[in-house]
Amino acid sequence: MKVAITGGSGFVGQEITKQLTDKGHEVYILTRSDKKSDGSVHMIKWLADGAKPEEHLDGMDAWINLAGASINEGRWTPEQKQKIYDSRMKATDEVLRILKAVSTKPSVLVNASAIGIYPPSEQATYTEHSSARGSDFLAKTVEDWESKANEAEQLGTRVAAGRFGIVLGKDQGALPLMALPYKIGVGGKVGTGEQWVSWVHVADVAKAILYVIENEDFTGPFNLTAPDPKQMNDFGEILGKVLHRPHWIPVPSIALKLALGDKSQLVLEGQRVIPDKLLTHGFKFTYPDLQRALENIYA
């Protein structure tokens, strides 16, 4: 199988590439860098002057679109918010342009999305069947991103949107910052501690995306979270236990709001999200519970 990945050099993209190549598939990573192709991993220039990626991407079996500026970088100034939004729209527009240009289109596009589409709540439980939508910046960005990706259906390509939760890995993503206070002995409750953390191990993210590619009846949005969401205080206690560190010094909400501004909502607010669609389709998580996932990461 030939799979094109936009955003393939990032945290999740690296894990997907590893799992694909381990299974003998060919990967075509669209990049702005000058990295060279290596074996079954082909580097294709895109979003650069003179780049014509469509000349190298005819006959892809599947496409995975992860491209977009990280929501974890910098303060959420108006300019940064616009960058986060525009980068997703621009990259997806370019994906659509390439799909229109190639003669043989991929059978499926798996587009990244996020559970930020759901409104924060300490009481609600969200599945893919939930109609509730948030009204903040993240929800607007995610809703527009999914809508843009769905345009590929007009080309005869099946579209699925993976709504990522908090992706856990040792050296990248949110976990290193979450673990740092514990490693220096000052970990504890963040905010009220009641907010939900819908997490997922990075290996299961990649595994699930490959599962969706291989199952032709899988379409539309799907929650990419483990079936074991935790409230923040419980998450911290388990993290401290795995790291053999105390969970004792609280971080008040006001301190995070002062330090992070609007971005503080990433840690002070949350949603309880269940991957109902994956579970109903028979997908088996390798790391279905938090302690097992963290023990694997910090083994």
Side-chain angles (χ1 to χ4, degrees):
M1 185 166 64
K2 294 181 178 180
V3 180
I5 308 178
T6 44
S9 58
F11 174 37
V12 173
Q14 291 174 38
E15 179 65 25
I16 294 173
T17 298
K18 178 181 181 301
Q19 291 195 21
L20 282 169
T21 53
D22 284 349
K23 291 185 175 183
H25 301 301
E26 286 191 75
V27 177
Y28 293 73
I29 295 177
L30 282 79
T31 178
R32 299 186 197 198
S33 76
D34 294 319
K35 290 182 179 179
K36 302 298 182 182
S37 299
D38 181 16
S40 58
V41 179
H42 310 273
M43 298 295 178
I44 309 298
K45 199 83 167 181
W46 85 319
L47 296 177
D49 291 341
K52 294 182 178 179
E54 61 270 26
E55 294 180 353
H56 309 278
L57 297 169
D58 205 356
M60 294 294 106
D61 296 291
W63 195 301
I64 302 167
N65 181 29
L66 309 170
S70 172
I71 63 173
N72 293 312
E73 291 180 5
R75 289 179 68 89
W76 279 4
T77 62
E79 293 78 14
Q80 182 65 10
K81 285 183 177 180
Q82 197 63 48
K83 179 182 177 181
I84 289 169
Y85 181 91
D86 289 347
S87 65
R88 284 157 174 75
M89 297 302 110
K90 180 179 179 181
T92 309
D93 272 332
E94 178 65 359
V95 169
L96 292 168
R97 186 196 70 79
I98 296 170
L99 295 187
K100 291 173 184 175
V102 297
S103 57
T104 304
K105 324 243 183 243
S107 62
V108 58
L109 165 64
V110 180
N111 204 80
S113 182
I115 62 172
I117 196 169
Y118 305 116
S121 176
E122 292 179 5
Q123 292 78 38
T125 296
Y126 300 112
T127 71
E128 297 86 352
H129 309 295
S130 303
S131 60
R133 294 290 181 271
S135 58
D136 59 13
F137 159 68
L138 277 182
K140 166 68 173 172
T141 298
V142 172
E143 194 155 20
D144 287 356
W145 199 13
E146 288 188 6
S147 179
K148 176 69 68 177
N150 283 338
E151 293 178 22
E153 291 179 341
Q154 301 170 17
L155 305 173
T157 295
R158 172 170 60 97
V159 178
R163 292 174 176 169
F164 289 23
I166 304 299
V167 182
L168 303 184
K170 187 171 186 179
D171 299 315
Q172 298 184 68
L175 187 59
L177 287 176
M178 298 173 78
L180 181 60
Y182 291 92
K183 290 184 175 181
I184 61 176
V186 295
K189 183 177 72 172
V190 177
T192 67
E194 300 298 309
Q195 66 272 39
W196 286 96
V197 181
S198 293
W199 61 274
V200 61
H201 193 297
V202 66
D204 276 329
V205 172
K207 181 181 176 182
I209 288 174
L210 271 59
Y211 185 86
V212 169
I213 287 173
E214 293 166 354
N215 285 265
E216 297 179 359
D217 61 338
F218 209 115
T219 61
F222 64 101
N223 293 333
L224 241 178
T225 60
D228 181 38
K230 296 292 187 186
Q231 289 179 291
M232 181 65 82
N233 195 51
D234 295 330
F235 187 101
E237 286 185 347
I238 295 171
L239 179 56
K241 178 181 178 181
V242 170
L243 293 174
H244 306 291
R245 296 290 190 277
H247 173 78
W248 65 301
I249 300 180
V251 180
S253 299
I254 187 64
L256 283 172
K257 289 178 180 178
L258 288 172
L260 301 177
D262 288 351
K263 195 169 73 171
S264 63
Q265 73 183 73
L266 292 176
V267 289
L268 294 178
E269 301 176 353
Q271 305 92 341
R272 185 175 191 269
V273 179
I274 302 297
D276 187 66
K277 207 164 182 178
L278 281 169
L279 295 173
T280 300
H281 275 76
F283 178 75
K284 303 296 183 184
F285 285 83
T286 303
Y287 304 102
D289 65 89
L290 180 60
Q291 183 160 333
R292 180 176 173 183
L294 291 174
E295 286 172 346
N296 169 264
I297 290 168
Y298 291 109

